[in-house]
Amino acid sequence: MATIDKTQQDAEKQAAAMAAVKFVKNGDVVGLGTGSTTTFAIKELGKRVSDGLKITAAASSIRTEELARSLGIEILDLGSLSEIDISIDGADEFTESLDLIKGGGGALFREKIIASLSKNAIIITDASKKVKKLGAFTIPIEVLPLAYQYVSDQIDKLGGKGVLRIAAGEKFITDNQNLIIDADFGLIDDPAKLSSDLNQINGLLAHGLFINLTSKVVMSEGTDIIIFE
Ligand code: 5RP
């Protein structure tokens, strides 16, 4: 795998974020993702709000909510929304057909709800996230703690290899008080089929394959902005 220059990658993340925030209009309900790329977008939205942009937002994680509120962005209760005008979120991998792997930051469950509610779901990335086939990045899977072993066994039966996510020496606990299994299925030939198979597993709350949930990917590469839609 090619080494990635972190400074260049951060510059690309920021450029993609700035380009995507231009799509947000007065009066929009905005879905806010989670992660380092989305953080650039939230900060830029905060600037536009202090310059007079009127928006409300729904957050995909506690840390996103805290950041947005600190910048003066009004946060709505995600559970009360039937529709979101536009959402901005990052990804761990994407293909030109707009299939994604998400959830590296562990916020996939709420991110998937936001993407499902969004009329215009925009993904922002640096160039390192574009792949021909998904699967070099393991698929994050949010699971009820009491279903952990059952779900792990079902992942095995589907040909995957799941590992419980650990952070700072402890089980990683999501904002929804659940566990994450990071599942390796190798490079995935048919992401839609795998997504559908995973959706059949009881106790599996959400997985990081996002299929047909993206309107466009705004990718920054060097000094270029490339839009896939
Ligand atoms: C969090 C996510 C993030 O969007 C994804 O992990 C990309 O993160 P970053 O922008 O920090 O590279 O899905 O659950």
Side-chain angles (χ1 to χ4, degrees), residues 6-146:
K6 174 91 175 65
T7 310
Q8 170 69 19
Q9 189 181 23
D10 280 349
E12 290 182 356
K13 287 180 179 189
Q14 184 164 20
M18 304 287 278
V21 166
K22 292 194 178 125
F23 291 105
V24 177
K25 302 186 305 300
N26 244 344
D28 277 350
V29 176
V30 185
L32 301 174
T34 295
S36 56
T37 318
T38 311
T39 294
F40 285 118
I42 298 169
K43 288 184 175 164
E44 177 61 13
L45 266 180
K47 275 193 208 141
R48 284 192 59 195
V49 165
S50 61
D51 288 344
L53 178 74
K54 300 264 182 277
I55 55 163
T56 50
S60 59
S61 63
I62 294 169
R63 66 198 132 119
T64 285
E65 176 166 347
E66 287 173 351
L67 174 64
R69 281 192 200 280
S70 77
L71 296 169
I73 299 171
E74 183 186 340
I75 296 292
L76 306 173
D77 170 20
L78 179 57
S80 69
L81 298 178
S82 300
E83 197 169 71
I84 285 174
D85 295 301
I86 180 167
S87 60
I88 302 179
D89 200 351
D92 299 299
E93 287 186 345
F94 78 96
T95 62
E96 281 192 21
S97 53
L98 308 188
D99 294 334
L100 318 174
I101 290 182
K102 285 187 50 54
L108 64 148
F109 186 95
R110 297 188 196 189
E111 288 172 338
K112 210 169 220 182
I113 302 295
I114 285 181
S116 303
L117 287 167
S118 292
K119 288 192 275 179
N120 185 9
I122 301 182
I123 293 294
I124 50 177
T125 75
D126 61 89
S128 71
K129 308 288 182 66
K130 182 167 174 294
V131 296
K132 286 208 161 60
K133 267 189 189 182
L134 300 175
F137 195 94
T138 51
I139 303 175
I141 292 175
E142 180 155 349
V143 56
L144 271 179
L146 62 83

Side-chain angles (χ1 to χ4, degrees), residues 158-177:
L158 288 175
K161 188 174 171 356
V163 173
L164 178 67
R165 186 177 297 186
I166 303 288
E170 307 277 347
K171 288 178 187 173
F172 177 92
I173 304 291
T174 69
D175 286 352
N176 316 306
Q177 303 303 312

